[in-house]
Amino acid sequence: MNPWIKSLQIELEKQANAQDAFWMAKYMRNQFVFLGIKKPIQMQVFKKVVKSFPASENYLEIATELSEMPAHEYHYLSMVLVIHMKKHWDDRIPSWVEKMTLKYPWWDITDVLAPKILGPFFLKFPEQKEYFVDRWMNSGNIWLQRLCILYPLDYKMNLQTEELAAIILPLSSSKEFFIQKAIGWILRQYARSNPGWVRAFVQQHTLASLSKREALKHLT
């Protein structure tokens, strides 16, 4: 085990709570094992331990090792580590995101990977976007497709509406809850910056009821 991961493990296990672990696993439909450490405490521990993190080119390998630990808290913190090392990002990031998504196909993983890692990565390396978005859109995998929908969640006026429409429309008839919800979410978020476009888009295209309801939630 990497020494830094061992130090993180020691600090996290001090905060383990069996009762919280039970309810956290239940909330996630028992798909993951938990230590029972809530996000604010996870972040407190991470901020304490990351001070000793070696600023090396091996951060992605360390994040991968962290993601392979049994408890779901480590999976989350592997993403936090990658975000923390943003200034060291290179063209390995999208493949790492893809592997994480396929290894842990669930909303709490994609909902960090997409806006917090892919979003800023594609702004920094726009030449990488077309290949991976096309790859994931054509994969037939709902979680990879959810990445495509949600990566511009925090873009505000940097969001390219033509690109967003090209992602949403092929998926607009999907029966998958997590696709319908993501479409509604990205539209609702973009409506904060460009309500007129969102209102017109919803009026002009057929969307699932859930997507439409979410999109228009804060529009009158």
Side-chain angles (χ1 to χ4, degrees), residues 33-63:
V33 174
F34 286 86
L35 295 173
I37 307 170
K38 296 179 180 179
K39 292 288 175 62
I41 299 176
Q42 290 179 42
M43 291 305 300
Q44 288 175 14
V45 171
F46 178 84
K47 289 175 182 178
K48 175 183 177 181
V49 177
V50 80
K51 295 175 182 178
S52 66
F53 185 79
S56 69
E57 295 180 357
N58 297 325
Y59 77 93
L60 208 54
E61 288 78 7
I62 296 172

Side-chain angles (χ1 to χ4, degrees), residues 1-218:
M1 178 184 292
N2 177 275
W4 183 82
I5 293 179
K6 184 62 179 179
S7 64
L8 177 65
Q9 181 184 34
I10 290 170
E11 293 298 323
L12 281 176
E13 290 184 351
K14 291 178 184 177
Q15 305 294 333
N17 183 305
Q19 185 174 4
D20 285 343
F22 171 82
W23 290 110
M24 291 164 78
K26 188 176 179 65
Y27 178 69
M28 289 293 180
R29 301 182 185 178
N30 294 308
Q31 297 196 72
F32 306 107
V33 174
F34 286 86
L35 295 173
I37 307 170
K38 296 179 180 179
K39 292 288 175 62
I41 299 176
Q42 290 179 42
M43 291 305 300
Q44 288 175 14
V45 171
F46 178 84
K47 289 175 182 178
K48 175 183 177 181
V49 177
V50 80
K51 295 175 182 178
S52 66
F53 185 79
S56 69
E57 295 180 357
N58 297 325
Y59 77 93
L60 208 54
E61 288 78 7
I62 296 172
T64 298
E65 183 179 348
L66 192 59
S67 75
E68 293 170 351
M69 299 281 283
H72 202 46
E73 286 90 345
Y74 295 111
H75 310 158
Y76 175 76
L77 289 176
S78 71
M79 299 184 292
V80 172
L81 176 59
V82 171
I83 295 168
H84 179 76
M85 299 298 287
K86 180 179 179 179
K87 68 179 181 180
H88 298 284
W89 285 357
D90 55 35
D91 60 7
R92 298 176 296 167
I93 291 294
S95 294
W96 187 85
V97 166
E98 179 177 303
K99 290 175 183 175
M100 278 289 290
T101 302
L102 295 175
K103 188 174 181 65
Y104 301 113
W106 199 237
W107 61 265
D108 72 321
I109 294 293
T110 58
D111 293 3
V112 176
L113 292 173
K116 302 304 180 185
I117 298 180
L118 279 179
F121 177 85
F122 285 149
L123 287 177
K124 188 175 182 180
F125 302 99
E127 69 280 1
Q128 296 278 327
K129 180 168 59 177
E130 183 177 359
Y131 170 79
F132 283 101
V133 170
D134 287 348
R135 173 187 174 94
W136 296 334
M137 285 292 291
N138 293 320
S139 69
N141 183 291
I142 66 167
W143 301 106
L144 294 176
Q145 291 169 342
R146 188 173 166 98
L147 292 177
C148 298
I149 299 168
L150 294 179
Y151 80 80
L153 191 69
D154 297 330
Y155 277 14
K156 298 181 180 178
M157 293 307 293
N158 287 324
L159 187 149
Q160 301 295 312
T161 55
E162 290 184 3
E163 293 180 2
L164 181 62
I167 290 169
I168 290 176
L169 293 177
L171 299 173
S172 61
S173 61
S174 173
K175 304 300 182 185
E176 294 287 349
F177 170 84
F178 289 105
I179 294 295
Q180 294 181 7
K181 187 77 170 180
I183 290 172
W185 186 14
I186 186 65
L187 290 173
R188 184 180 78 230
Q189 186 73 357
Y190 186 52
R192 299 177 186 274
S193 301
N194 194 344
W197 185 89
V198 171
R199 190 179 289 110
F201 183 84
V202 172
Q203 291 173 348
Q204 293 166 10
H205 299 95
T206 302
L207 301 177
S209 297
L210 173 59
S211 300
K212 183 176 181 179
R213 185 167 63 251
E214 287 291 318
L216 300 177
K217 183 174 287 186
H218 301 303

